Amino acid sequence: MPILEVNNIKKHFGKTEVLKGITFSLEKGEVLSIIGSSGSGKTTLLRCLNFLETADEGSFSVAGKTVFNAADTSTLSEAEIRRNRLHFGLVFQSFNLFPQYNILKNITLAPTLAKCGTPEEIDQKARALIERVGLTDKIRNYPCELSGGQQQRVAIARALAMEPDILCFDEPTSALDPALTGEVLRVIKDLKSGDSTMIVVTHEMEFARGVSDKVIFMADGVIEESGTPEEVFGHPKSEKTRAFLSTSLEKI
Amino acid sequence: MIQEVLISLNNGFLKTLQLFACTLLGAIPLGLLIAFGSMSKFLPLKGLIKTFVWIIRGTPLMLQLLIIYYGPGLLLHNNIWGGGSEGRLIAVLAAFILNYACYFSEIYRGGIESIAKGQYEAGQVLGMTKTQIFFRIVLLQVIKRIVPPMSNEIITLVKDTSLARIIAVYEIIWAGQAFIKSAGLIWPLFFTGLYYLLFCGILTLLFGYIEKKLNYFHQ
Ligand SMILES: Nc1ncnc2c1ncn2[C@@H]1O[C@H](COP(=O)(O)OP(=O)(O)O)[C@@H](O)[C@H]1O
Ligand SMILES: [Mg+2]
């Protein structure tokens, strides 16, 4: 059974239809890359999955259990939304670390408030995550004392601390200096071997090609093309995909 | 004579401090309620609160004080404050608290609205409740931003307490002025300025300390 099944998600803001029916599924442990030009609805899709936006139509389920169905959202209480959204984690383009807390506290805050274990367990797990993203020497530092790449690695550890079934990344390296993108992409790559299921919105074509099991190319709110990296990058069927790929390769 | 003056001024200053402390104690939380009201999605409430804040900020505190003290007696023929000094003190505090709560509310609102949307969203996707997000993530960042404007208002309040003398609350200016009539002395009134200076100096140091304490992080 797929870990995630997304069924005909639609979303509009005012008169513009941003998502025009998105359907896909993902197996446990798979990495899905979503590519597409800016404005095509990639962020909106991730925000719908994380309940930051409410889709107008469609549904999605995690491990066979429906966690969202636009047809009966009114029945969802705030507590239920909180529980359902914890199937997902989201790493933002702009990190959004909590500036007043040090790195350790940034990671332990949410598990502590949600009472996901004893303080010692939470602390130990946070330290393990910090080691995994290679920042053990920064554990007592504050976000403002870290580089962008380091902040993003903390944000990844913070999201992992809630043990989401599916971790979403929204252009995790777009706000970084080119020199710092490598360290973040390496951390994401390492998570793949750790059996995490991930959805990565990215403009890093080489990364998408090398790491993903599946690639989706989005254009104007629809999935224009999807398949294995080999299919989408090697033999794109759609004219739009070919045009997009050639312009994004030009940039490199 | 000097001793007599100092005792009288000290007593007056205690009343000033009492006005100052009680006003802060009331206006700081009331301001937060007004701030939430002025950000409410329920438009009638928002409109009502905004109009109220406009009226309070758009008219002199002295006028508000007079209306609150004399208004009930003149308009409703019912002096709810009573005749005694206690009633006058409560009327003054009511006017000060309402007035300062409105100013504070605008500072709070500016502070709360300046917090990046991403901070709320980061808390949300980590499964936090709205209350947790406000108290554990947003509040300290708001405090850091509002310390400078709040310290300005609070220092203004120290001096605004002197308005209480117009309805005969015996604060320090009243005490100093009394010596002009009773003993023909003018210096006690001028001497009150030193009390204000000293107290505002202490407050300035305190706010500087808080600002420095919160300097360990940047937004
Ligand atoms: N909150 C919003 N209100 C109105 N329009 C929005 C909002 N969020 C996104 N949009 C619009 O939706 C479209 C898709 O945006 P987005 O999902 O951010 O695309 P992408 O991430 O692929 O660049 C854009 O045209 C954007 O202007
Ligand atoms: Mg985007």
Side-chain angles (χ1 to χ4, degrees):
Chain A
M1 185 198 301
I3 183 94
L4 174 66
E5 280 183 280
V6 175
N7 198 352
N8 198 29
I9 290 287
K10 293 186 185 172
K11 175 74 189 171
H12 62 82
F13 292 112
K15 284 204 172 66
T16 44
E17 197 162 25
V18 176
L19 298 176
K20 301 172 182 164
I22 301 288
T23 302
F24 67 92
S25 71
L26 201 58
E27 297 295 329
K28 192 169 162 54
E30 276 186 333
V31 176
L32 164 68
S33 288
I34 301 180
I35 58 173
S37 47
S38 104
S40 56
K42 307 179 298 294
T43 298
T44 306
L45 175 60
L46 290 191
R47 289 173 62 84
C48 287
L49 292 178
N50 281 276
F51 296 84
L52 292 176
E53 306 285 357
T54 310
D56 304 318
E57 279 180 50
S59 64
F60 51 90
S61 59
V62 176
K65 181 180 160 261
T66 302
V67 292
F68 174 84
N69 186 351
D72 58 22
T73 45
S74 54
T75 59
L76 278 186
S77 72
E78 246 185 75
E80 278 172 308
I81 289 180
R82 269 203 313 283
R83 204 160 347 135
N84 286 346
R85 72 158 28 120
L86 282 179
H87 290 292
F88 298 87
L90 179 59
V91 172
F92 299 87
Q93 188 174 337
S94 51
F95 333 133
N96 295 341
L97 295 182
F98 307 131
Q100 72 266 45
Y101 296 127
N102 67 26
I103 300 321
L104 182 63
K105 184 84 191 278
N106 259 278
I107 297 172
T108 55
L109 181 65
T112 305
L113 292 174
K115 303 192 177 68
C116 303
T118 66
E120 295 77 37
E121 286 166 0
I122 291 171
D123 184 85
Q124 255 169 23
K125 206 170 96 188
R127 285 168 192 277
L129 286 168
I130 292 170
E131 194 179 336
R132 193 154 151 200
V133 299
L135 288 170
T136 303
D137 55 326
K138 301 283 184 201
I139 200 158
R140 297 280 167 207
N141 284 86
Y142 289 88
C144 61
E145 298 163 342
L146 268 54
S147 73
Q150 291 170 332
Q151 290 191 48
Q152 192 60 297
R153 281 145 66 193
V154 175
I156 294 171
R158 181 177 70 174
L160 288 170
M162 294 306 284
E163 298 184 347
D165 295 309
I166 299 135
L167 184 52
C168 306
F169 297 81
D170 190 9
E171 302 194 27
T173 59
S174 291
L176 300 177
D177 287 341
L180 299 176
T181 59
E183 57 183 83
V184 172
L185 295 179
R186 248 191 319 279
V187 166
I188 300 174
K189 215 168 175 172
D190 284 346
L191 294 179
K192 183 181 160 77
S193 49
D195 209 30
S196 306
T197 311
M198 297 189 274
I199 302 177
V200 188
V201 170
T202 184
H203 287 302
E204 302 284 337
M205 294 305 150
E206 227 169 289
F207 171 83
R209 191 166 187 167
V211 175
S212 347
D213 302 293
K214 245 183 208 171
V215 177
I216 284 178
F217 170 65
M218 274 180 72
D220 297 322
V222 297
I223 296 182
E224 179 71 18
E225 183 154 355
S226 72
T228 64
E230 183 46 32
E231 286 165 353
V232 175
F233 290 106
H235 313 282
K237 290 198 264 314
S238 144
E239 191 54 50
K240 276 188 187 169
T241 316
R242 273 198 289 272
F244 172 76
L245 287 176
S246 67
T247 54
S248 42
L249 289 176
E250 261 168 37
K251 269 184 269 169
I252 305 168
Chain B
M1 191 66 209
I2 287 186
Q3 207 172 4
E4 206 176 301
V5 170
L6 286 183
I7 288 172
S8 176
L9 292 188
N10 284 347
N11 281 336
F13 189 60
L14 280 181
K15 184 60 82 185
T16 296
L17 283 183
Q18 188 189 7
L19 288 170
F20 172 76
C22 293
T23 303
L24 277 190
L25 232 55
I28 285 176
L30 182 62
L32 195 58
L33 284 183
I34 296 177
F36 285 138
S38 70
M39 291 185 289
S40 168
K41 290 197 185 89
F42 182 58
L43 293 182
L45 176 68
K46 180 176 166 152
L48 195 74
I49 296 277
K50 289 229 168 213
T51 310
F52 181 71
V53 171
W54 171 61
I55 291 171
I56 294 288
R57 297 207 312 166
T59 56
L61 174 54
M62 162 119 60
L63 197 56
Q64 292 162 20
L65 186 53
L66 292 172
I67 289 173
I68 284 181
Y69 183 60
Y70 292 111
L74 291 176
L75 297 175
L76 313 169
H77 305 289
N78 172 20
N79 184 3
I80 55 174
W81 310 112
S85 65
E86 190 124 309
R88 292 199 299 272
L89 180 65
I90 292 173
V92 163
L93 284 177
F96 283 2
I97 288 174
L98 277 183
N99 182 277
Y100 271 82
C102 286
Y103 280 95
F104 290 171
S105 78
E106 284 295 288
I107 295 178
Y108 295 158
R109 190 175 61 81
I112 291 172
E113 287 178 347
S114 75
I115 302 301
K117 206 172 97 216
Q119 290 289 306
Y120 293 92
E121 293 183 346
Q124 279 175 286
V125 297
L126 291 165
M128 296 184 200
T129 64
K130 279 186 181 146
T131 321
Q132 289 169 340
I133 291 172
F134 183 76
F135 284 104
R136 305 303 289 268
I137 299 174
V138 175
L139 186 59
L140 191 64
Q141 299 184 41
V142 172
I143 290 175
K144 182 182 163 86
R145 291 203 181 178
I146 67 175
V147 167
M150 283 295 279
S151 68
N152 243 338
E153 284 302 322
I154 288 172
I155 283 171
T156 303
L157 171 63
V158 175
K159 293 159 289 175
D160 272 357
T161 55
S162 62
L163 286 173
R165 72 169 280 294
I166 61 168
I167 61 166
V169 170
Y170 303 148
E171 46 66 69
I172 188 169
I173 298 269
W174 178 285
Q177 208 175 14
F179 284 97
I180 299 178
K181 246 196 203 153
S182 69
L185 292 177
I186 190 86
W187 70 264
L189 178 60
F190 295 157
F191 193 72
T192 59
L194 277 185
Y195 283 79
Y196 286 107
L197 265 181
L198 198 67
F199 187 53
C200 288
I202 292 170
L203 286 179
T204 305
L205 290 178
L206 178 72
F207 286 120
Y209 175 78
I210 296 174
E211 259 181 69
K212 219 163 153 191
K213 270 273 162 193
L214 289 174
N215 249 344
Y216 75 92
F217 72 87
H218 302 286
Q219 276 138 325

